[in-house]
Amino acid sequence: MCTQKRDDLLIAVALTEFSVHFEQIDPKLSERAWQLAADRLVKYDVDPEAAVATLEIGRPKSIFENQ
């Protein structure tokens, strides 16, 4: 995967997480973080779940993957 695309998707996932965790604390900041994440995701036509899947975040490694 292109380094720029990977970086953009990682940033979008981080901004989405930030938005979710700060929604009750600072709604305006949360909304801004979500908008920044959405802008990056729209660029590649993916949603947050697809970004996580594309980056292979959070999935356990198979014992056969490193062979």
Side-chain angles (χ1 to χ4, degrees):
M1 178 186 319
C2 169
T3 302
Q4 183 62 48
K5 180 179 180 181
R6 182 172 176 79
D7 289 350
D8 283 347
L9 294 178
L10 282 169
I11 291 167
V13 169
L15 286 166
T16 301
E17 282 290 315
F18 179 91
S19 175
V20 169
H21 292 290
F22 279 81
E23 189 172 22
Q24 298 298 316
I25 298 167
D26 190 336
K28 289 177 92 174
L29 182 61
S30 174
E31 179 63 31
R32 181 67 179 135
W34 171 246
Q35 188 59 53
L36 290 169
D39 291 345
R40 289 178 187 271
L41 294 173
V42 165
K43 179 178 177 180
Y44 298 104
D45 193 30
V46 297
D47 58 30
E49 293 82 15
V52 169
T54 300
L55 294 167
E56 299 178 349
I57 298 172
R59 72 178 182 94
K61 288 194 174 221
S62 164
I63 59 171
F64 302 107
E65 283 188 73
N66 291 327
Q67 295 181 0

